[in-house]
């Protein structure tokens, strides 16, 4: 706790002085957009991207991001990779646009192609026992799609809001973010109810406990509920309510600090203790589309210009 607070003070002080962010690694991997990055261990990680309708790109590192090797999927149905998900049994799923799925049982060395039947874009996933729930959407409609661990379709629920994210606290309580809505479940995904969140294109969420969750939006809002979604308070930029930024993803560093990343290279540090955030100077002109915590002092980011960045905090 003490070290987390000291880290927070150091970064907030840097933000106030407009100190440039500490980029420790910056590599150009692709001519196309990179959407997602994840690390399984300190050494093994994956990056996904490509062109939405014509190209899938999967990159793997086994040396902590020093080098990246492009992996092939045997399919003629190439779509961009938007998210990686690791099943409880270790199977890795690459999830993409137009219902694209690829599964790997050998830590990303080989991939087997699967197809979601409704061709909707897959944005996120959770697992409850032997069932995987996908947050998907396309053309003003959203779906929670249930599949088994082999990628086989089970059922689907339709909503009038495009789904963008999904997360659980254990196996019972969870939330799903969407365009102008956030849903919650208290029965392990059997049923979902709307919370009171609205008025933004919610892109990402963190679930901190059964009743505590944070969302960020493409129209600039960062909100938090501590009562299970009945009310949402604005996390403010210092003391101001700022809605000029376009946020894409929340990344939790520890119990006290989260990072939110967005378009035009914007990064903000969120203080979960007092519900405020501070902007870190833009690190790149491109949009930061995805990221993850790599280790206790570094976050990994991927960008719309095909660059991979590691940022020391």
């Amino acid at each position: 706790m003490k070290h987390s607070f000291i880290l927070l003070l150091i970064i907030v002080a840097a933000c106030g002085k407009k100190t440039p962010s500490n980029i420790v690694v910056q590599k150009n991997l692709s001519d196309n957009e990179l959407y997602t990055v994840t690390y399984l261990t300190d050494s093994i990680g994956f990056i996904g991207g490509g062109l939405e309708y014509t190209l899938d790109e999967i990159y793997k590192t086994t040396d902590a991001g020093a080098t990246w090797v492009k992996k092939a999927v045997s399919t003629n149905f190439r779509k961009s990779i938007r998210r990686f998900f690791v099943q409880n049994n270790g199977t890795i799923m690459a999830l993409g646009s137009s219902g694209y799925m690829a599964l790997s049982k050998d830590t990303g060395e080989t991939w087997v192609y699967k197809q979601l039947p409704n061709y909707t874009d897959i944005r996120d996933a959770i697992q409850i026992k032997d069932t995987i729930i996908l947050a998907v959407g396309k053309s003003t409609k959203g779906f929670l799609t249930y599949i088994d661990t082999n990628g086989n379709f089970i059922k689907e629920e339709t909503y009038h809001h495009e789904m963008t994210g999904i997360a659980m606290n254990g196996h019972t309580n969870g939330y799903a973010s969407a365009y102008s809505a956030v849903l919650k479940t208290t029965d392990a995904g059997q049923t979902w109810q709307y919370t009171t969140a609205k008025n933004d294109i919610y892109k990402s969420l963190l679930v901190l406990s059964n009743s505590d969750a944070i969302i960020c939006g493409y129209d600039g809002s960062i909100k938090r509920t501590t009562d299970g979604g009945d009310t949402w308070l604005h996390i403010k930029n210092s003391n101001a309510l700022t809605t000029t930024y376009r946020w894409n993803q929340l990344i939790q560093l520890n119990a006290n600090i989260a990072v939110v990343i967005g378009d035009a290279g914007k990064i903000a540090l969120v203080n979960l203790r007092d519900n405020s955030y501070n902007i870190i100077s833009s690190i790149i002109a491109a949009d930061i589309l995805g990221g993850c915590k790599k280790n206790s002092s570094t976050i990994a980011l991927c960008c719309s210009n095909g660059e991979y960045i590691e940022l020391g905090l």
Side-chain angles (χ1 to χ4, degrees):
M1 183 74 71
K2 181 178 179 182
H3 294 302
S4 297
F5 185 63
I6 292 173
L7 174 64
L8 176 64
L9 290 178
I10 292 172
I11 299 177
V12 170
C15 294
K17 295 178 182 179
K18 304 297 183 184
T19 303
S21 300
N22 184 19
I23 295 178
V24 294
V25 174
Q26 187 168 5
K27 297 176 179 290
N28 186 272
L29 298 181
S30 175
D31 294 329
N32 306 302
E33 293 180 316
L34 299 178
Y35 291 100
T36 184
V37 56
T38 189
Y39 274 85
L40 305 186
T41 66
D42 289 342
S43 299
I44 300 174
F46 296 90
I47 291 175
L51 295 175
E52 183 173 3
Y53 298 112
T54 59
L55 180 66
D56 58 322
E57 290 188 321
I58 298 175
Y59 299 88
K60 179 183 177 181
T61 182
T62 56
D63 55 10
T67 58
W68 293 87
V69 177
K70 191 172 182 180
K71 297 297 179 178
V73 179
S74 180
T75 177
N76 294 322
F77 191 80
R78 303 201 176 280
K79 309 294 175 182
S80 59
I81 307 301
R82 301 302 178 88
R83 183 77 68 180
F84 290 104
F85 177 72
V86 183
Q87 298 180 18
N88 295 340
N89 63 9
T91 298
I92 305 168
M93 303 181 71
L95 308 172
S97 57
S98 299
Y100 181 106
M101 293 188 293
L103 283 68
S104 174
K105 297 182 182 295
D106 56 7
T107 320
E109 287 302 304
T110 59
W111 296 84
V112 176
Y113 172 74
K114 300 287 290 188
Q115 173 63 49
L116 201 63
N118 63 6
Y119 296 94
T120 50
D121 295 342
I122 309 173
R123 280 79 181 268
D124 209 350
I126 58 170
Q127 182 172 356
I128 301 174
K129 296 183 179 179
D130 293 328
T131 300
I132 295 169
I133 306 177
L134 305 174
V136 300
K138 187 87 173 195
S139 302
T140 72
K141 286 189 177 181
F143 307 87
L144 292 176
T145 303
Y146 295 66
I147 62 174
D148 65 20
T149 54
N150 292 316
N152 299 313
F153 179 86
I154 299 174
K155 68 173 185 176
E156 186 172 77
E157 297 176 355
T158 304
Y159 298 88
H160 294 294
H161 304 270
E162 290 192 42
M163 298 295 173
T164 58
I166 190 168
M168 297 290 291
N169 179 55
H171 291 297
T172 304
N173 291 66
Y175 296 80
S177 58
Y179 285 25
S180 300
V182 175
L183 288 75
K184 70 174 181 179
T185 181
T186 57
D187 56 10
Q190 296 183 52
T191 61
W192 294 83
Q193 299 80 38
Y194 283 97
T195 71
T196 60
K198 55 184 179 180
N199 298 330
D200 204 337
I201 301 172
Y202 299 113
K203 297 292 293 291
S204 176
L205 73 164
L206 294 176
V207 177
L208 306 178
S209 73
N210 287 348
S211 58
D212 193 352
I214 301 173
I215 53 177
C216 69
Y218 198 62
D219 288 334
S221 65
I222 306 173
K223 297 179 182 179
R224 183 175 188 176
T225 182
T226 56
D227 58 11
D230 291 338
T231 59
W232 296 84
L233 62 88
H234 284 277
I235 295 178
K236 296 182 179 180
N237 182 6
S238 297
N239 293 318
L241 178 60
T242 305
T243 59
T244 58
Y245 306 116
R246 294 192 177 277
W247 300 121
N248 293 318
Q249 187 181 341
L250 283 156
I251 306 165
Q252 187 172 3
L253 298 184
N254 53 50
N256 300 316
I257 305 170
V259 170
V260 61
I261 57 177
D263 284 5
K266 290 291 190 299
I267 299 179
L269 189 74
V270 180
N271 184 344
L272 301 177
R273 302 175 72 176
D274 66 5
N275 294 319
S276 67
Y277 74 89
N278 285 272
I279 297 292
I280 299 175
S281 299
S282 294
I283 63 170
I284 193 172
D287 301 335
I288 307 174
L289 302 179
C292 72
K293 176 182 175 181
K294 184 182 179 186
N295 53 47
S296 60
S297 61
T298 309
I299 58 174
L301 306 169
C302 51
C303 304
S304 61
N305 64 349
E307 289 195 353
Y308 165 77
I309 293 174
E310 291 182 12
L311 187 66
L313 295 178

